[in-house]
Amino acid sequence: MEFSAFRKKWTPQIDRFLADKLATEIADHDFGQIMAYSVMAGGKRLRPLLFLAVLETLGKEIDESALRTACGIELIHTYSLIHDDLPAMDNDDYRRGKLTSHKKWGEAQAILAGDALLPLGIEWIAKGSQNVEMTAVMAQAIGPNGMAGGQYLDIDATNNAAVKNDDNYLNRMEWLKTGCLILASVEMGAIYGQADAQAKPNLLDFAHAFGRAYQIYDDLVDVVESSEEAGKATHKDEAEGKNNTLTSLGVEASRKALQQLIDQAKADLTDFSDPVLAGFLEIYQKVL
Amino acid sequence: MEFSAFRKKWTPQIDRFLADKLATEIADHDFGQIMAYSVMAGGKRLRPLLFLAVLETLGKEIDESALRTACGIELIHTYSLIHDDLPAMDNDDYRRGKLTSHKKWGEAQAILAGDALLPLGIEWIAKGSQNVEMTAVMAQAIGPNGMAGGQYLDIDATNNAAVKNDDNYLNRMEWLKTGCLILASVEMGAIYGQADAQAKPNLLDFAHAFGRAYQIYDDLVDVVESSEEAGKATHKDEAEGKNNTLTSLGVEASRKALQQLIDQAKADLTDFSDPVLAGFLEIYQKVL
């Protein structure tokens, strides 16, 4: 299936699943509402779509269990956004055009909403997939050697002249912060879809290139888009002394690096007849 | 095995496993140190010991995989303490006689140490147990319908006259905050140790009584012990307007409730010849 048709088909089903289950499976109504506020704030659902697209690519049927697993990934992604925005972290007031969780509900409530979304995401993955390897892949991707470790390096890098042009450090930080969760979404799809020994490394190589590209894309959005288009404060990385690949390479070299990663990701997909995964690369066109 | 011998045998092995693996399995040395600071701050290791004691009770050998699973529970318990102590939550400066994580390392670092310990704990449980049901049991116990949900009710209850004498609310809050994780430790042991259809409900009944008793015990420590004995600020629940079973019932009625739960927990264990689980109830003697 083409990416645009795939997205059109599955995004509303992801949204509905998230809204329904958060409303019916959380005992405390008020707390469920706080969690749902951030989950339903209008994300692109990139990571669950990516997981489902791997299943589609491998010819695996997408049923309710697959959908629960996919939505578990989105819960975990949302937790990471809520905690990133906290006053002690990036201290952001807006996200996707809406007040951030702590501005809307209070800081303790926002910390706890994140603390609840993370294990709920794990629970959905465990129960949806019934697969302990997939659950471990996700847990590893967001722990100290994954996303949380990347956030730690990010704190350390902010206003730190020593790492400003240390491309190894910045690469590693950005990979852990963003790439790891994208790779995990694809790897979980490869396990769930029972990719064979030839398909699996190709999918993982694609995920590596796509994930690395995504961070460069995200940094480019910060300088290229207006804050209205992006739905959050832009041009703030430089103002806040954030160091990343873009502040190190500059806009034009970053675009070049992004294009190279796109070409590489496309090459990793040549064995697959279904065009859906290649279509994800179209997202990056708007900053090229 | 008697509880005191069991504790003497396994506590040092839990401590060593935690210290070794945190030092060698976390890529970023500084971040690993921040996480280890709280994990190695001298807890009683009650929850991992409880998990291991269930295996002992069921005649299941305790190997390295069981130890990794047990220690995963302790990582998750430590995450919960770090986040509870945060300025936006209980705002505590000391824990177990040492500075709390945010006082020692900074608030962002403490949030991230917790955010890393939670999934690392899940990863250890998944990889140690190779059992997706156990992993789901843990995830559920600490999510919105478990520990995180209890913390949310706790925020809501503080200085809230409406719930001050609402025993149902307080019971539910305390069960979610503390009981759920204790129950999960026992339930995971029952699954790992392949408890049969007769043993499992007895173990779960024991865990319900033991977990409920633990919260009452913890509240009693707050009023009965000096802060030096407890290693943290005491007498602060009342000063801060905290509502719990103890502030609702008073000290003597709380002691009575605790004794009843101990008797009930003992009765649940009559089928088991190994005395180790009954020995856990000795902990409560110091507040009776």
Side-chain angles (χ1 to χ4, degrees):
Chain A
M1 195 185 288
E2 290 295 334
F3 171 63
S4 57
F6 185 83
R7 176 161 62 173
K8 219 170 182 170
K9 177 176 179 186
W10 288 106
T11 307
Q13 298 202 46
I14 292 168
D15 286 342
R16 199 173 321 123
F17 190 96
L18 288 166
D20 283 357
K21 302 304 176 191
L22 289 175
T24 55
E25 295 184 3
I26 295 173
D28 190 281
H29 176 75
D30 294 348
F31 193 35
Q33 206 173 15
I34 293 173
M35 293 164 68
Y37 171 82
S38 296
V39 175
M40 304 313 295
K44 295 182 295 294
R45 314 304 187 199
L46 180 74
R47 293 154 194 80
L49 282 172
L50 204 49
F51 170 77
L52 295 177
V54 173
L55 303 195
E56 163 95 3
T57 301
L58 295 168
K60 174 95 180 169
E61 194 207 351
I62 298 175
D63 57 9
E64 164 133 0
S65 298
L67 201 53
R68 183 176 286 275
T69 307
C71 290
I73 304 174
E74 187 68 8
L75 297 185
I76 289 171
H77 173 58
T78 306
Y79 130 74
S80 76
L81 301 181
I82 293 174
H83 280 201
D84 284 6
D85 289 337
L86 286 170
M89 313 286 284
D90 283 354
N91 194 24
D92 276 310
D93 292 351
Y94 289 93
R95 160 81 66 183
R96 295 171 178 165
K98 292 174 68 177
L99 284 174
T100 47
S101 182
H102 64 275
K103 292 301 277 187
K104 173 84 177 173
W105 308 102
E107 196 175 338
Q109 286 78 357
I111 292 171
L112 290 174
D115 285 353
L117 284 165
L118 195 173
L120 189 64
I122 296 281
E123 186 189 335
W124 284 15
I125 290 166
K127 290 185 174 169
S129 73
Q130 290 295 320
N131 183 303
V132 76
E133 185 192 356
M134 284 171 61
T135 313
V137 162
M138 173 53 81
Q140 189 166 347
I142 62 174
N145 298 321
M147 193 167 67
Q151 281 297 118
Y152 176 78
L153 293 181
D154 193 15
I155 297 177
D156 245 23
T158 301
N159 290 312
N160 182 348
V163 303
K164 190 172 181 176
N165 295 303
D166 182 344
D167 287 344
N168 274 343
Y169 185 100
L170 298 175
N171 265 327
R172 180 168 166 69
M173 171 188 91
E174 295 186 351
W175 174 256
L176 293 175
K177 271 183 64 175
T178 312
C180 273
L181 187 57
I182 287 175
L183 173 61
S185 305
V186 172
E187 190 173 354
M188 286 166 60
I191 298 169
Y192 198 95
Q194 295 169 288
D196 62 28
Q198 200 183 333
K200 193 169 178 180
N202 285 330
L203 288 168
L204 298 188
D205 286 348
F206 162 78
H208 274 105
F210 182 82
R212 181 76 192 99
Y214 192 80
Q215 182 69 44
I216 298 176
Y217 158 80
D218 207 39
D219 292 338
L220 278 166
V221 167
D222 185 75
V223 298
V224 170
E225 285 202 321
S226 72
S227 113
E228 201 181 321
E229 288 169 314
K232 61 182 177 183
T234 52
H235 306 276
K236 72 178 289 240
D237 287 355
E238 201 169 0
E240 291 185 351
K242 286 265 179 199
N243 293 313
N244 56 43
T245 301
L246 189 122
T247 58
S248 167
L249 291 181
V251 171
E252 280 321 306
S254 290
R255 281 188 165 132
K256 213 168 178 178
L258 177 55
Q259 187 59 57
Q260 277 173 352
L261 286 163
I262 292 172
D263 296 343
Q264 201 180 310
K266 270 186 191 153
D268 294 324
L269 295 174
T270 42
D271 280 3
F272 301 107
S273 56
D274 195 295
V276 63
L277 280 174
F280 278 78
L281 298 162
E282 292 162 18
I283 297 168
Y284 300 146
Q285 287 306 318
K286 71 171 176 178
V287 296
L288 285 176
Chain B
M1 194 184 290
E2 290 294 333
F3 172 64
S4 57
F6 186 83
R7 177 160 63 173
K8 219 173 184 167
K9 177 177 179 186
W10 288 107
T11 306
Q13 298 202 47
I14 291 168
D15 286 341
R16 200 174 320 123
F17 190 96
L18 288 166
D20 283 358
K21 302 305 176 191
L22 289 175
T24 56
E25 295 184 4
I26 295 173
D28 191 280
H29 175 75
D30 294 348
F31 193 36
Q33 207 174 13
I34 294 172
M35 293 162 67
Y37 171 82
S38 297
V39 175
M40 304 312 296
K44 296 183 295 294
R45 313 306 186 198
L46 179 75
R47 292 153 194 82
L49 282 171
L50 204 49
F51 170 78
L52 295 177
V54 174
L55 303 195
E56 163 95 3
T57 300
L58 295 167
K60 174 95 180 168
E61 193 207 352
I62 298 175
D63 58 9
E64 164 133 0
S65 297
L67 202 53
R68 184 176 287 276
T69 307
C71 291
I73 304 174
E74 187 68 7
L75 297 185
I76 289 171
H77 173 59
T78 307
Y79 129 74
S80 77
L81 301 181
I82 295 173
H83 279 201
D84 284 6
D85 289 336
L86 287 171
M89 312 284 286
D90 283 353
N91 194 24
D92 274 311
D93 293 350
Y94 289 92
R95 160 81 66 180
R96 293 169 178 165
K98 292 173 69 176
L99 285 173
T100 47
S101 183
H102 65 274
K103 291 302 276 185
K104 172 84 176 174
W105 307 102
E107 197 176 338
Q109 285 79 357
I111 293 171
L112 289 174
D115 286 351
L117 285 166
L118 195 172
L120 189 64
I122 296 282
E123 186 188 336
W124 285 14
I125 290 166
K127 290 185 174 169
S129 73
Q130 291 295 320
N131 185 302
V132 76
E133 186 191 355
M134 283 171 61
T135 313
V137 162
M138 172 53 81
Q140 188 167 345
I142 61 174
N145 298 322
M147 192 168 67
Q151 281 297 119
Y152 175 78
L153 293 181
D154 194 14
I155 297 176
D156 245 24
T158 301
N159 290 312
N160 183 348
V163 303
K164 192 171 179 175
N165 295 304
D166 182 344
D167 288 344
N168 274 342
Y169 185 101
L170 297 175
N171 265 327
R172 180 167 166 71
M173 172 188 90
E174 296 185 351
W175 174 255
L176 294 174
K177 272 184 65 174
T178 311
C180 272
L181 186 57
I182 287 174
L183 173 61
S185 305
V186 171
E187 190 173 354
M188 287 167 60
I191 299 169
Y192 197 95
Q194 295 168 289
D196 62 28
Q198 198 181 333
K200 195 169 176 180
N202 285 330
L203 288 169
L204 299 188
D205 286 348
F206 161 78
H208 273 107
F210 182 81
R212 182 74 191 101
Y214 192 79
Q215 182 68 45
I216 297 177
Y217 159 78
D218 208 38
D219 292 338
L220 278 166
V221 167
D222 185 75
V223 298
V224 171
E225 286 203 320
S226 72
S227 116
E228 200 179 324
E229 288 169 313
K232 62 182 176 182
T234 51
H235 306 276
K236 73 180 288 239
D237 287 354
E238 199 169 1
E240 292 185 350
K242 286 264 179 200
N243 293 314
N244 55 43
T245 301
L246 189 119
T247 57
S248 167
L249 291 183
V251 171
E252 281 322 305
S254 292
R255 280 188 167 131
K256 212 169 178 178
L258 177 56
Q259 187 59 57
Q260 277 173 352
L261 286 163
I262 292 172
D263 295 342
Q264 200 180 312
K266 270 187 191 151
D268 295 324
L269 295 174
T270 43
D271 280 1
F272 303 106
S273 57
D274 195 295
V276 64
L277 280 175
F280 278 78
L281 299 162
E282 293 162 18
I283 298 169
Y284 301 145
Q285 287 306 320
K286 71 171 175 179
V287 297
L288 285 176

